[in-house]
């Protein structure tokens, strides 16, 4: 709250300090990301001497050339896009189907139905039982395990419902008088006016699938099925270059291959590109989503 | 007798019309039932069926033999876990990580929101906000990779600075005493902007007239913050704190797992990583499930307590 009145000296000093703090924080938020980009674009000697911080030194795109010819990275990219796309579309469909009766329905069993969904926010089977169920369903080593385990989380359903309940019921009632059934009401009336919240949830699905690490770690064991985060983990944190035939791997003795820093960082940056592209939408819609969740959750 | 008879007659009469009504109501809602059908099937298959599988915690479950070939052992695995020398260590690591997280990761977004709120509305404020949300969208693998970059003894900025000051480089990730600071600092870095959103929205809900009145009374900005701004968001802070306490015994798996190495295992092993290792790596499904279930039940109690408290204080609740 800036006051229109004259500021005291102390207040002016505070303002300056505050702006300095904010600038330092902003640099801190950005530094690790810029550092990744800078290292990936630098020559190896300045990287190894620890001279690369914000900007690349001895600019080269060799690391990216390495990656672009690597079929493992491309394949994992494709796998991740498949999981995120299918997971998002199916997830939106099932979540909407789940939320509509909660918002507009007045049917026998609605309470049990709502409880059945909400209870999963408090208690779940947990890691091992879920794994065993996926195994029973013969979904191990399949992308469908990733899609189906996070198809319609209770939290998303609640967010959708709390948006739906603000839609005037009269719109639906009058449509029903004209002979429309609930499916028609949902697809023709409710979903079109809910575009903002649907966009929010779509982005939630995409981001969570893109970033998810534990589920693919548990359910996938075939290299050709791996998602990006798993490949990233293996290349950057385990530095197992041999597994992925990354060319810029260097010997580290004992027959081990260590991947050059530039290539590791190039892989990180490549994995970030889609997130950075959708980031403007993300932060706009996500902030809205947090608001919806906090006000009516 | 007669009286009860007529009563009974009335009752049967009523249930007859009722069941007719019920049937026609169910028929009228047939599309609703059709809609929830796939959802119910999905929830039963993927959320409730696993809960049934929780009973392997009471068996010596062998995956190849199934339930028929597995022996019922009662509470053996629970007892083993509690008697295990690792038990106290793991529980303490989990709890301590959460206490630190509440002390630092919970409080800093409030301070950040207050400081942001003191900035004049405009491009600068907007830019700072937008950039501060960015780390929230990075995956844990990427965040840990960045931690590794920044703290690297050879290429990291922290060690470059130390070398610049003539000090020795430290291999931060290889020393147990740095594990918790790394967890907390990277947690603050990743979530401070994002977590501040809820406080910023609470701040924007404070009545501007209060500030105008305070200015007339001669209150400076510091006093306004103490007497108006902080009381104005106190309710939100309390609710967020209560909800946070509900998750006092859960530490996210991914970051701990990724930062874990043999050097820091004594401080870094938490329930979620222990369950994963025992279950998925050692294939000790029953024991891991027992540990997970033990934790799940305590968490369930904590969350429902938190929810009750939150309902008591405000209208806002989890459900």
């Amino acid at each position: 709250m800036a006051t229109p009145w004259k500021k005291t000296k102390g207040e002016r000093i505070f303002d300056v300090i505050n702006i300095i703090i904010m600038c330092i924080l902003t640099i801190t938020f950005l530094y690790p990301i810029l550092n990744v980009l800078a290292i990936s674009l630098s020559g190896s000697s300045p990287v190894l001497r620890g001279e690369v911080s914000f900007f690349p030194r001895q600019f080269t795109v060799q690391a990216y050339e390495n990656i672009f010819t690597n079929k493992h990275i491309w394949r994992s990219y494709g796998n991740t896009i498949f999981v995120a796309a299918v997971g998002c579309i199916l997830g939106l469909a099932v979540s909407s189907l789940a939320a509509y009766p909660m918002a507009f329905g007045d049917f026998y069993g609605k309470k049990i139905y709502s409880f059945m969904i909400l209870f999963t926010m408090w208690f779940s089977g947990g890691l091992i039982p879920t794994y065993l169920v996926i195994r029973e369903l013969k979904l191990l080593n399949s992308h469908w395990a990733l899609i189906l385990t996070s198809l319609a989380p209770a939290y998303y359903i609640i967010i959708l419902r709390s948006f739906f309940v603000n839609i005037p019921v009269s719109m639906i009632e009058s449509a029903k008088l004209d002979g429309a059934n609930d499916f028609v009401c949902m697809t023709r009336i409710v979903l079109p006016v809910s575009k903002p919240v649907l966009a929010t949830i779509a982005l939630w699905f995409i981001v969570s699938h893109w970033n998810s690490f534990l589920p693919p770690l548990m359910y996938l064991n075939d290299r050709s099925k791996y998602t990006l985060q798993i490949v990233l983990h293996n290349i950057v944190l385990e530095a197992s270059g041999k597994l992925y035939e990354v060319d810029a791997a260097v010997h580290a003795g004992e027959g081990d291959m260590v991947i050059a820093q530039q290539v590791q960082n190039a892989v990180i940056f490549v994995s970030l590109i889609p997130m950075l592209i959708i980031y403007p939408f993300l932060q706009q819609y996500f902030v809205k989503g947090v608001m919806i969740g906090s006000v009516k959750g | 007798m007669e009286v009860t008879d007529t009563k009974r007659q009335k009752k049967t009469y009523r249930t007859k019309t009722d069941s007719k009504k019920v049937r026609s109501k169910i028929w009228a809602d047939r599309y609703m039932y059709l809609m929830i059908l796939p959802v119910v099937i999905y929830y039963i298959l993927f959320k409730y069926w696993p809960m049934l599988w929780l009973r392997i915690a009471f068996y010596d479950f062998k995956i190849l033999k199934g339930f028929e070939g597995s022996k019922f052992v009662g509470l053996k695995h629970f007892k083993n876990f509690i008697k295990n020398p690792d038990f106290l260590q793991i529980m303490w690591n989990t709890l301590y990580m959460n206490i630190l997280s509440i002390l630092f990761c919970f409080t800093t977004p409030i301070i950040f929101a207050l400081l942001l709120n003191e900035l004049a509305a405009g491009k600068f404020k907007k830019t700072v906000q937008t950039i501060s949300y960015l780390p929230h969208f990075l995956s844990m693998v990427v965040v840990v990779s960045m931690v590794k970059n920044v703290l690297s003894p050879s290429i990291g900025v922290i060690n470059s600075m130390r070398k610049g000051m003539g000090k020795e480089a430290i291999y931060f990730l290889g020393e147990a005493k740095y594990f918790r600071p790394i967890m907390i600092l990277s947690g603050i870095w990743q979530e401070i902007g994002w977590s501040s959103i809820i406080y910023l929205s609470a701040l924007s809900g404070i009545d501007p007239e209060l500030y105008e009145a305070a200015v007339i009374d001669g209150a400076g900005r510091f006093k306004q913050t103490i007497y108006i701004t902080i009381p104005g968001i106190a309710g939100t802070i309390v609710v967020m704190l209560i909800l946070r306490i509900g998750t006092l015994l859960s530490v996210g798996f991914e970051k701990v797992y990724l930062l874990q190495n043999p050097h820091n295992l004594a401080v870094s092993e938490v329930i979620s990583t222990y369950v994963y290792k025992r279950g998925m790596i050692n294939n000790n499904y029953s024991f891991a499930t027992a540990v997970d279930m033990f934790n799940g039940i305590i968490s369930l109690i904590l969350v429902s307590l938190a929810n009750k408290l939150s309902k008591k204080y405000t209208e806002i609740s989890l459900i």
Side-chain angles (χ1 to χ4, degrees), chain A residues 11 15 18 28 47 106 108 116 118 125 127 129 131 148 151-152 211 213-214 229 236 265 279 286 294, chain B residues 25 33 42-43 48 50 54 115 130 133-134 137 139 148-149 155 157 189 194 198 221 254 280 292 318-319:
Chain A
E11 284 171 357
D15 276 339
N18 195 11
T28 318
V47 170
D106 176 32
Y108 290 113
M116 183 192 84
L118 296 178
L127 199 75
Y131 173 82
L148 289 171
L151 192 64
N211 288 342
F213 173 67
L214 176 59
Q229 298 300 328
V236 180
N265 282 284
Y279 183 62
F286 267 56
S294 65
Chain B
K25 174 101 179 75
Y33 292 113
Y42 170 71
Y43 264 76
Y48 285 88
L54 278 173
L115 290 178
T130 307
Y133 304 153
L134 185 57
F137 296 101
S139 76
K148 195 185 143 215
N149 265 345
I155 67 165
V157 64
W189 176 76
W194 189 251
I198 191 122
R221 264 161 75 194
E254 294 186 354
M280 299 305 298
D292 207 8
L318 256 180
I319 291 174

Side-chain angles (χ1 to χ4, degrees), chain A residues 1-8 11-12 15, chain B residues 118 120-121 208-216 219-221 224:
Chain A
M1 273 301 143
T3 51
W5 280 265
K6 226 192 255 168
K7 289 175 180 172
T8 65
E11 284 171 357
R12 254 178 288 151
D15 276 339
Chain B
E118 293 298 323
E209 279 180 23
L210 288 175
Y211 290 101
E212 284 160 26
V215 169
I216 292 166
R221 264 161 75 194
Q224 288 175 31

